[in-house]
Amino acid sequence: MAEKPVCIATQVPEDEDTHKEENIRCLTMLDHFGFECLPLQLVNKSIQQGFSFNILCVGETGIGKTTLIDTLFNINFKEHKSSHFHPNVGLKIQTYELQETNIQLKLTVVKTVGYGDQINKEASYQPIVDYLDAQFEAYLQEELKIKRSYVKYHDTRIHVCLYFIAPTGHSLKSLDLLTMKKIDSKVNIVPLIAKADTISKNDLQMFKSKIMSELADNGIQIYQIPEDDEASALVSVSGHLPFAVVGSMEEVKVGKRMVRGRQYPWGVLQVENESHCDFVKLRDLLLCTNMEDLKEQTHTRHYESYRSYRLKKMGFTDVGPDNQPISFQEIYEAKRKEFSEQCQREEEQLKQRFMQRVKEKEAAFKEAEKELQEKFEHLKRIQEEETVKLEEERRQLEEEIIDFYKTKAASESLQAQSGTNIKKDKERKK
Ligand SMILES: Nc1nc2c(ncn2[C@@H]2O[C@H](COP(=O)(O)OP(=O)(O)OP(=O)(O)O)[C@@H](O)[C@H]2O)c(=O)[nH]1
């Protein structure tokens, strides 16, 4: 905080001459004191804790997401290029611990992978929506814990979504409109025209107005830059939306200086030259003037609406059916009662269903038993008839055997008789 001379007024008795007031001494303060120091406490605390910032980059493969993030933080994050053949849209999440002088920044960059590469683009926005909700849910679960630890907790809620629009110079694609519509209530969207060096100055202005009117026509809410804020007003950024950005980590010679830019046969595009592109405006917005506002909007607007939706879904409400304020305890008791009644009802239903099934099973068993008994009786009858038949056959066989033996004995005696007669005849002939 800059030191400034202050006038310390001393109380002068009313009856003294007014010319004495001219002799009030002006002292220069050597240090801060009193509640003037309050902001210092916040500054020190913030420096000690460090800052965190979460950026989501949504854009087609190869549109310049990585290069822009590298250029914003002036660090080569060494990213591999993605392929165009992902079957679905995915997200690449990376967290970096950065330091500038004594300021630490925990930066999380989430980038889409394979966005806009599928033939059917209908569900391209879903992984993005799911990711945004999952971060809100994780924060809500931390908030609902009895033992919370916000200091250690890594808040991964996305503070800003940089939406990369292809520099077609024509209009927004239906995928752009669809995705932005789906996420505008969950994140602060800052639309960017990517690779703005590939589009002429006149075309760029027309393209910008076209995009803004298309966003308005489709009711898409982008991040509203607070214009009353002194710093924002100075750069008057809103009028430049969507920012036409160019990314490059290349150092190019311009006159006697080395600047970051892109060298072309016809000249150099300087990334940090405000008459060449809006990169500086974007960097100022994200890092210098509006980071805290982006975080605040994330918490008070987007997270708040997710939280209230989830709590309502869980059955919590601020007012009862009679529009009277209702306490958490009352809701809890009512919910518990409702739950135990529901449990009882379900238990009763289960019991009845069980009894019904037991009855059905018993009836089925009885029916099966009856059928078996009938079958048994039938088989028994058949078997008895078979036995009687067999007995008859056996009797007949025995009779036949007896007859056979009788016949056999008769024939044997006849044979013996004839043998004796032959012998007697022979003896007689002798
Ligand atoms: N003309 C121009 N080219 C750029 C710009 N930014 C990046 N590029 C080039 O575009 C190509 C892809 O850039 P990346 O930053 O890897 O794109 P990306 O969107 O991160 O790609 P993926 O992560 O693979 O989806 C590289 O050859 C960059 O040099 C830009 O502003 N203008």
Side-chain angles (χ1 to χ4, degrees):
M1 199 181 288
E3 287 175 8
K4 57 183 190 298
V6 287
C7 292
I8 300 175
T10 44
Q11 265 196 338
V12 181
E14 271 175 20
D15 53 347
E16 280 193 32
D17 291 338
T18 45
H19 74 266
K20 278 193 178 172
E21 282 176 18
E22 288 159 18
N23 295 333
I24 292 171
R25 285 189 301 154
C26 281
L27 299 177
T28 307
M29 278 209 313
L30 297 176
D31 215 342
H32 302 284
F33 57 87
F35 56 80
E36 186 197 22
C37 304
L38 282 176
L40 280 176
Q41 294 180 23
L42 289 178
V43 171
N44 291 338
K45 197 173 156 201
S46 301
I47 291 173
Q48 259 176 19
Q49 282 179 352
F51 294 82
S52 77
F53 194 47
N54 306 326
I55 304 178
L56 168 68
C57 298
V58 180
E60 292 163 17
T61 308
I63 203 164
K65 302 181 288 291
T66 312
T67 314
L68 189 81
I69 294 293
D70 288 359
T71 320
L72 274 172
F73 293 92
N74 200 17
I75 294 174
N76 207 333
F77 289 114
K78 291 197 178 66
E79 283 278 328
H80 298 292
K81 284 190 170 36
S82 315
S83 99
H84 283 276
F85 303 105
H86 288 278
N88 301 308
V89 174
L91 293 171
K92 199 183 207 175
I93 305 148
Q94 264 155 337
T95 299
Y96 311 94
E97 304 271 356
L98 308 179
Q99 182 154 3
E100 226 173 65
T101 59
N102 61 339
I103 310 295
Q104 292 195 331
L105 176 68
K106 192 171 192 165
L107 174 72
T108 299
V109 181
V110 182
K111 267 180 257 175
T112 52
V113 178
Y115 184 76
D117 285 337
Q118 295 75 33
I119 295 171
N120 183 359
K121 298 185 176 65
E122 227 166 83
S124 296
Y125 62 82
Q126 201 54 50
I128 305 167
V129 171
D130 291 347
Y131 180 80
L132 293 168
D133 282 346
Q135 308 325 299
F136 285 148
E137 184 61 32
Y139 190 85
L140 180 67
Q141 290 307 322
E142 183 64 30
E143 222 179 36
L144 294 176
K145 273 184 189 170
I146 292 175
K147 206 173 167 190
R148 295 182 291 186
S149 117
Y150 284 126
V151 181
K152 280 193 205 144
Y153 178 73
H154 180 204
D155 181 4
T156 50
R157 292 173 299 169
I158 295 294
H159 301 127
V160 66
C161 164
L162 301 180
Y163 194 94
F164 290 71
I165 299 162
T168 57
H170 196 259
S171 61
L172 286 168
K173 296 177 186 177
S174 54
L175 177 62
D176 298 329
L177 291 169
L178 188 64
T179 305
M180 282 198 258
K181 187 83 196 145
K182 291 282 174 190
I183 62 172
D184 71 348
S185 59
K186 297 174 189 290
V187 70
N188 299 308
I189 301 175
V190 174
L192 308 177
I193 298 173
K195 300 188 180 181
D197 52 329
T198 59
I199 190 165
S200 77
K201 217 164 185 174
N202 286 343
D203 285 351
L204 190 64
Q205 276 321 312
M206 287 195 298
F207 191 34
K208 279 189 175 191
S209 335
K210 184 90 202 305
I211 290 170
M212 290 311 277
S213 71
E214 274 188 314
L215 291 176
D217 291 348
N218 287 281
I220 294 166
Q221 284 282 316
I222 57 167
Y223 173 58
Q224 295 299 309
I225 301 162
E227 286 296 350
D228 53 349
D229 178 44
E230 205 181 300
S232 305
L234 266 179
V235 280
S236 169
V237 273
S238 295
H240 292 270
L241 282 170
F243 294 130
V245 292
V246 177
S248 173
M249 290 299 281
E250 265 175 64
E251 294 271 323
V252 188
K253 196 164 184 189
V254 175
K256 287 180 184 168
R257 290 183 306 129
M258 292 300 283
V259 294
R260 277 194 300 165
R262 298 187 82 87
Q263 174 97 56
Y264 293 106
W266 52 89
V268 172
L269 187 135
Q270 297 172 38
V271 169
E272 282 160 294
N273 186 329
E274 290 200 50
S275 60
H276 288 192
C277 71
D278 300 327
F279 172 80
V280 172
K281 290 184 184 73
L282 174 69
R283 189 179 59 191
D284 284 350
L285 177 96
L286 294 182
L287 306 181
C288 301
T289 55
N290 289 66
M291 187 191 274
E292 277 311 310
D293 185 59
L294 286 163
K295 289 168 106 171
E296 202 181 301
Q297 292 287 322
T298 303
H299 187 72
T300 56
R301 217 176 115 220
H302 303 303
Y303 172 66
E304 204 54 35
S305 77
Y306 178 83
R307 182 182 161 277
S308 80
Y309 158 77
R310 283 285 286 122
L311 291 183
K312 270 184 204 154
K313 213 172 148 199
M314 283 185 217
F316 292 103
T317 171
D318 293 334
V319 285
D322 48 359
N323 240 9
Q324 290 300 308
I326 186 165
S327 75
F328 183 82
Q329 182 70 25
E330 285 168 322
I331 295 170
Y332 173 72
E333 291 298 342
K335 276 269 141 203
R336 209 169 66 156
K337 196 166 160 242
E338 191 186 310
F339 181 70
S340 85
E341 280 170 5
Q342 192 184 339
C343 279
Q344 265 179 359
R345 266 200 309 275
E346 279 179 13
E347 198 181 323
E348 201 52 47
Q349 278 173 1
L350 269 175
K351 264 186 199 165
Q352 278 178 3
R353 233 180 292 156
F354 177 73
M355 294 303 285
Q356 182 66 26
R357 286 198 66 187
V358 166
K359 270 185 194 162
E360 281 170 11
K361 281 277 166 203
E362 263 178 9
F365 280 142
K366 270 189 187 150
E367 188 63 28
E369 197 183 344
K370 201 176 146 199
E371 268 176 30
L372 272 174
Q373 189 64 33
E374 277 171 11
K375 230 178 193 172
F376 173 72
E377 294 294 336
H378 177 69
L379 286 173
K380 203 173 147 192
R381 249 192 333 271
I382 291 172
Q383 198 237 352
E384 276 170 4
E385 282 167 14
E386 280 291 313
T387 314
V388 169
K389 231 167 150 181
L390 282 172
E391 276 298 319
E392 180 63 22
E393 277 176 16
R394 197 171 70 126
R395 199 184 51 75
Q396 278 177 6
L397 266 173
E398 277 173 358
E399 277 175 13
E400 277 174 22
I401 290 168
I402 290 167
D403 285 350
F404 171 75
Y405 279 120
K406 274 182 185 166
T407 321
K408 192 182 166 194
S411 88
E412 275 173 358
S413 74
L414 260 174
Q415 242 178 355
Q417 186 68 42
S418 69
T420 338
N421 288 344
I422 292 166
K423 217 174 165 183
K424 275 181 184 169
D425 283 348
K426 273 183 185 171
E427 279 172 3
R428 236 185 285 142
K429 280 176 187 170
K430 275 178 193 173

